[in-house]
Amino acid sequence: MKRCLIITGGKLDLSFAGSFLGQETFDKIIAVDAGLEAVKALGLEPDMIVGDFDTVKPEVLAYYRRMEHIVWDTHQPEKDETDTELALLKAQATGCTEVVVLGATGGRMDHMLGNIHLLFPCLQKGIEAYILDSQNRIYLIDKERTFKRREIWGKYISFLPLTEEVRGITLTGFKYPLHEKDIEIGTSLCISNELQGEEGAITFTDGVLIVVESHD
């Protein structure tokens, strides 16, 4: 598995990020525009820097310009894709099979919602893609999945439909079980569930779900 870390320009708890990165290894690091400032604060050297660089401090740009090994993917501010989308496309193009995105939540809600939707092309290509912050791990699923207490990101697991409808949801091993339930956009039925024991599972017949593992 080839793992890629993307650090983008949203709010990022540096204490959390430092602790997380101290336990993880990545084959490639991509910094996205203002996320470059967090990269510098964390003492990282990215393999690639992507963006239009309209929100990053000039002195930070100058610091990394001196590093000859870094690939720069520079774009104009007037473009169709966000910088985060461009970074995800680069991760896909380099053969990464797992992508973790930090700095993709908090701040502007349009960017956060857009970043969650950007997980969908990764799902379609068979790439495991996660958005992480100090309280949440967010990803998409389109097939059954097993959850183990020792592996989930927190106490709560929520399921929200990304597609208009998700059919035949069955939850076993959860505090609030379901049996072959259809849910549509606009319901909060599957928010804040919990594992009852050490393991639980979800199955469903059609659709795509947003999964949020979280804690208070």
Side-chain angles (χ1 to χ4, degrees), residues 50-189:
V50 177
D52 50 38
F53 311 123
D54 60 345
T55 55
V56 61
K57 294 177 182 177
E59 59 268 28
V60 176
L61 285 174
Y63 175 82
Y64 284 104
R65 290 282 186 194
R66 296 194 290 268
M67 298 183 182
E68 295 182 358
H69 72 281
I70 296 175
V71 176
W72 291 77
D73 185 32
T74 305
H75 298 263
Q76 295 298 318
E78 297 79 15
K79 58 187 184 304
D80 293 333
E81 306 89 350
T82 63
D83 293 332
T84 303
E85 181 174 2
L86 293 169
L88 283 165
L89 290 171
K90 287 295 181 183
Q92 295 168 24
T94 55
C96 292
T97 53
E98 181 180 343
V99 180
V100 173
V101 187
L102 302 181
T105 61
R108 283 179 52 179
M109 188 64 69
D110 55 342
H111 279 284
M112 187 179 78
L113 291 171
N115 290 335
I116 293 171
H117 281 256
L118 289 175
L119 299 176
F120 185 60
C122 296
L123 181 72
Q124 291 179 305
K125 294 178 175 65
I127 298 169
E128 294 184 23
Y130 303 89
I131 292 173
L132 270 59
D133 63 24
S134 60
Q135 286 184 274
N136 309 281
R137 178 165 66 174
I138 306 167
Y139 54 98
L140 306 180
I141 58 173
D142 60 359
K143 59 185 177 183
E144 63 186 47
R145 192 177 185 102
T146 298
F147 302 88
K148 298 181 180 180
R149 186 176 297 279
R150 67 178 183 274
E151 297 175 353
I152 61 174
W153 198 250
K155 178 180 179 180
Y156 305 106
I157 306 177
S158 296
F159 304 100
L160 301 95
L162 180 73
T163 48
E164 185 174 355
E165 186 175 35
V166 180
R167 294 179 177 274
I169 296 175
T170 295
L171 295 173
T172 55
F174 282 82
K175 183 177 180 179
Y176 306 107
L178 284 179
H179 181 69
E180 297 182 358
K181 177 70 175 180
D182 299 340
I183 63 171
E184 299 178 347
I185 288 177
T187 179
S188 60
L189 176 65

Side-chain angles (χ1 to χ4, degrees), residues 139 156-160 174 190-194 209-214:
Y139 54 98
Y156 305 106
I157 306 177
S158 296
F159 304 100
L160 301 95
F174 282 82
C190 294
I191 297 291
S192 296
N193 213 328
E194 303 173 35
L209 285 167
I210 302 169
V211 183
V212 184
E213 300 174 1
S214 58

